[in-house]
Amino acid sequence: MNYKWLIRRLASVIIAMFVTIVISWALLEYSPYSPANYIMQFINPQDFAQKPGLYSSLIQYLNTLRPHGNPLINAVNYINNVIHGNLGLSIVSDVPVAQIIAAALPWTLFIVTTSILISFFLGIRIGQKLAYIRGSKTDSITTVSLSILRAVPIYVYAALLVFVLGFVYHVFPTGGAYSPNVTPGLNLAFIISVLYHAFLPILSLTLVNLVGWILHMRANTISVLGEDFVNFAEIAGVKKSIIEKKFIGKNAILPLYTSLIIAIGFSFGGSLFVEQTFSYPGVGDLLITAITSNDYPTEMGVFIILIAAVIIGNLIADLTYSFLDPRAKVGEE
């Protein structure tokens, strides 16, 4: 491994995190519509420390993030707080934002990771099969249909599923992460309830991601089928199953690996609509609630999670790709 490249890559990740967090913080913190700016129009900031009750959490929030009038100093103070795990207090509940996110994050990780893995493995199998029958009527109809379905927004899938399977036929619950009648913990009743409530959110995310994986795998497989080493293997009499698995499948999947890791990060954003539709208590639902209630500390905390998921996903993909494809050396220009 090229350690100079690794140091440069880690430095770029830190800089990217820093810049995006500062920009996001500035857009929210100094927005004309932020609760902080609204209240500061009517109340002298010097009197904040003497205001109890209704403004207690907002006061602590302002004292933490705006101890100075200089925006640059305030930004540095905020980054310092983030590094030490201090994301401030929720204006609505007066609870540390880090604690709120820690309670919501596992639910989002569960539905996002599960849906990505299911859609990925199904997608590569279906896409590979479509590539083998390329040019046929079945392939043409399927490809056109998938292209149309790919243009459907994720919230449409979620709304249709919750309406049909939730409200019309009452097959699945329409909200929550588990039944209030079960005791949380490592017991069978709780696990079944969690899977039951997560089925529709996972299905919504899976349907959206599945279409993309099928089309990408089909295109990659068709490209590999035209390579000389595949033709040579066929001429040499290598078994068809071995050609499909080791020669075609492996080389067609490799370009999708980076997309898989990055997709996990970006799926956090897609889960926002799904969790809101199904009232699923993840970070997406938390973000919507924070936006509607002008809970800016919580908004920033969720933004940081989304930013970190995408940037770290890119880093993991860069660092691990060479283990799957020895031809790609980490750090080579």
Side-chain angles (χ1 to χ4, degrees), residues 107 177-194 197:
W107 299 112
Y178 55 89
S179 173
N181 299 324
V182 301
T183 303
L186 293 177
N187 57 80
L188 184 60
F190 177 71
I191 294 174
I192 292 175
S193 181
V194 167
H197 282 73

Coordinates of all heavy atoms in Angstrom, one line a residue, residues 107 177-194 197:
W107 N -32.1 1.7 14.0 CA -33.2 1.3 13.2 C -33.0 1.6 11.7 O -33.3 0.8 10.8 CB -34.5 2.1 13.7 CG -34.8 1.7 15.1 CD1 -34.7 2.6 16.2 CD2 -35.3 0.5 15.6 NE1 -35.1 1.9 17.3 CE2 -35.5 0.6 17.0 CE3 -35.6 -0.8 15.0 CZ2 -35.9 -0.4 17.8 CZ3 -36.0 -1.8 15.8 CH2 -36.2 -1.6 17.2
A177 N -41.7 0.6 15.2 CA -40.6 -0.3 14.9 C -40.9 -1.7 15.5 O -40.3 -2.7 15.1 CB -39.3 0.2 15.5
Y178 N -41.8 -1.7 16.5 CA -42.2 -3.0 17.1 C -43.5 -2.8 17.8 O -43.9 -1.6 18.1 CB -41.1 -3.6 18.0 CG -40.7 -2.7 19.1 CD1 -41.3 -2.7 20.3 CD2 -39.6 -1.8 18.9 CE1 -40.9 -1.8 21.4 CE2 -39.2 -1.0 19.9 CZ -39.8 -1.0 21.1 OH -39.4 -0.1 22.1
S179 N -44.2 -3.9 18.2 CA -45.5 -3.8 18.9 C -45.2 -3.3 20.3 O -44.3 -3.8 21.0 CB -46.2 -5.1 18.9 OG -47.3 -5.1 19.7
P180 N -46.1 -2.4 20.8 CA -45.9 -2.0 22.2 C -46.2 -3.1 23.2 O -46.0 -3.0 24.4 CB -46.9 -0.9 22.3 CG -47.9 -1.1 21.3 CD -47.2 -1.8 20.1
N181 N -46.8 -4.2 22.7 CA -47.2 -5.3 23.6 C -46.0 -6.3 23.9 O -46.2 -7.2 24.7 CB -48.3 -6.1 23.0 CG -49.6 -5.3 22.8 OD1 -49.9 -4.4 23.6 ND2 -50.3 -5.5 21.7
V182 N -44.9 -6.1 23.2 CA -43.8 -7.0 23.4 C -42.7 -6.3 24.3 O -42.6 -5.1 24.3 CB -43.2 -7.5 22.1 CG1 -44.2 -8.2 21.3 CG2 -42.6 -6.3 21.3
T183 N -41.9 -7.1 24.9 CA -40.8 -6.5 25.8 C -39.5 -6.5 24.9 O -39.1 -7.5 24.4 CB -40.6 -7.4 27.0 OG1 -41.8 -7.5 27.7 CG2 -39.5 -6.8 27.9
P184 N -38.9 -5.3 24.8 CA -37.7 -5.2 24.0 C -36.6 -6.0 24.6 O -36.4 -6.1 25.8 CB -37.4 -3.7 24.1 CG -38.7 -3.0 24.4 CD -39.4 -4.0 25.2
G185 N -35.8 -6.7 23.8 CA -34.7 -7.5 24.2 C -34.4 -8.6 23.3 O -35.1 -8.8 22.2
L186 N -33.5 -9.5 23.6 CA -33.2 -10.6 22.8 C -34.1 -11.8 23.1 O -33.8 -12.8 23.7 CB -31.7 -11.1 23.0 CG -30.6 -10.1 22.6 CD1 -29.3 -10.6 22.9 CD2 -30.8 -9.9 21.0
N187 N -35.4 -11.6 22.7 CA -36.4 -12.6 22.8 C -37.1 -12.8 21.5 O -37.2 -11.9 20.7 CB -37.4 -12.3 23.9 CG -38.1 -11.0 23.8 OD1 -39.1 -10.9 23.0 ND2 -37.6 -10.0 24.5
L188 N -37.7 -14.0 21.2 CA -38.3 -14.3 20.0 C -39.4 -13.4 19.6 O -39.6 -13.0 18.4 CB -38.7 -15.8 20.0 CG -39.3 -16.3 18.6 CD1 -38.3 -16.2 17.5 CD2 -39.8 -17.7 18.8
A189 N -40.3 -13.1 20.6 CA -41.4 -12.2 20.3 C -41.0 -10.8 19.8 O -41.6 -10.3 18.9 CB -42.3 -12.1 21.5
F190 N -40.0 -10.3 20.4 CA -39.5 -9.0 20.0 C -38.9 -9.0 18.6 O -39.1 -8.1 17.8 CB -38.5 -8.4 21.1 CG -37.8 -7.1 20.7 CD1 -38.6 -6.0 20.8 CD2 -36.5 -7.0 20.3 CE1 -38.0 -4.7 20.4 CE2 -36.0 -5.8 20.0 CZ -36.7 -4.7 20.0
I191 N -38.1 -10.0 18.4 CA -37.4 -10.1 17.1 C -38.4 -10.3 15.9 O -38.3 -9.6 14.9 CB -36.4 -11.3 17.1 CG1 -35.3 -11.1 18.0 CG2 -35.9 -11.6 15.6 CD1 -34.3 -12.3 18.2
I192 N -39.4 -11.1 16.2 CA -40.5 -11.3 15.2 C -41.2 -10.0 14.9 O -41.6 -9.6 13.8 CB -41.5 -12.4 15.6 CG1 -40.8 -13.7 15.6 CG2 -42.7 -12.4 14.7 CD1 -41.6 -14.9 16.1
S193 N -41.5 -9.3 16.0 CA -42.2 -8.0 15.9 C -41.4 -6.9 15.1 O -42.0 -6.2 14.3 CB -42.6 -7.4 17.3 OG -43.3 -6.2 17.2
V194 N -40.1 -6.9 15.4 CA -39.2 -6.0 14.7 C -39.2 -6.3 13.2 O -39.3 -5.4 12.3 CB -37.8 -6.0 15.3 CG1 -36.8 -5.3 14.4 CG2 -37.8 -5.4 16.7
H197 N -42.6 -5.3 11.6 CA -42.8 -3.8 11.4 C -41.8 -3.3 10.3 O -42.1 -2.3 9.7 CB -42.6 -3.1 12.7 CG -43.8 -3.2 13.6 ND1 -44.1 -4.3 14.3 CD2 -44.7 -2.3 13.9 CE1 -45.2 -4.1 15.0 NE2 -45.6 -2.9 14.8

